[in-house]
Amino acid sequence: MPATGIKHKPLSDALQRIEETLATKRRSPARSAAMTQLSLEADDDALRRNVEQALIAQLPLWENQVRGLPNPLARSALFSVARQNEPRQHLKERPITSVKGVEIFYTGEELRQDDEDVFLNLVHLARSQPLGHEVSFTAYSMLKSMGWPTSAPSYER
């Protein structure tokens, strides 16, 4: 079985693939048939909305106090535990240790535990939106939801 994993492609490429997948689902014959059948058998708007919502791709919903992270990312060394007062390294196509069968190559400023907290909270906020939709929030609400103080150093952090 070939290794799968996260490659060093721009985020915009991944977002484009998500949008293409969603567009394909919207045009799929199964969806068209389901909607045609629905319109023939029922005129109840609530039922029609439920079927349309079932065809939207979305992250799983989890409890508000919980944060979700794919297992291969959680078990990787993508987010380091280096001290905050040490300068961050700039990495270029660096292989990141992960679980068997997953390859991660990272380019950019070294990621640390604080970065993981922010990432987890962003995914948490995005879980209530269909994939590919914009997620809006304020810096203040982000700090509050992560349990960080709303002081100037936290905004910098």
Side-chain angles (χ1 to χ4, degrees):
M1 186 161 135
T4 60
I6 302 170
K7 300 294 182 187
H8 54 281
K9 294 182 181 176
L11 179 59
S12 59
D13 289 356
L15 292 174
Q16 180 64 33
R17 284 194 309 275
I18 290 170
E19 287 180 22
E20 289 168 0
T21 300
L22 292 173
T24 301
K25 279 188 173 186
R26 288 186 195 109
R27 291 189 308 263
S28 76
R31 183 179 193 276
S32 297
M35 293 307 294
T36 302
Q37 185 68 23
L38 179 64
S39 64
L40 293 174
E41 293 179 2
D43 55 27
D44 183 12
D45 288 336
L47 181 58
R48 193 179 343 257
R49 282 192 302 275
N50 287 340
V51 170
E52 288 174 353
Q53 287 175 345
L55 296 171
I56 295 173
Q58 186 173 348
L59 291 172
L61 296 176
W62 51 79
E63 297 292 325
N64 199 40
Q65 68 275 13
V66 175
R67 298 295 181 259
L69 184 66
N71 189 46
L73 229 77
R75 296 180 60 196
S76 76
L78 183 60
F79 299 98
S80 75
V81 292
R83 293 189 189 136
Q84 281 187 333
N85 58 354
E86 291 180 12
R88 292 177 185 245
Q89 296 179 20
H90 289 275
L91 311 173
K92 182 166 177 140
E93 297 183 30
R94 166 93 47 98
I96 304 294
T97 303
S98 188
V99 295
K100 184 178 180 179
V102 174
E103 292 179 309
I104 300 174
F105 294 89
Y106 179 72
T107 297
E109 190 173 71
E110 173 187 26
L111 298 174
R112 302 218 172 135
Q113 294 301 298
D114 283 354
D115 301 313
E116 183 176 28
D117 292 340
V118 171
F119 176 76
L120 288 171
N121 206 58
L122 290 171
V123 172
H124 185 73
L125 292 171
R127 82 192 194 290
S128 62
Q129 300 291 326
L131 292 176
H133 283 95
E134 184 175 299
V135 178
S136 298
F137 56 90
T138 64
Y140 176 83
S141 68
M142 181 73 149
L143 291 173
K144 291 303 271 184
S145 68
M146 291 191 316
W148 290 6
T150 56
S151 60
S154 291
Y155 280 92
E156 289 275 330
R157 181 177 163 195

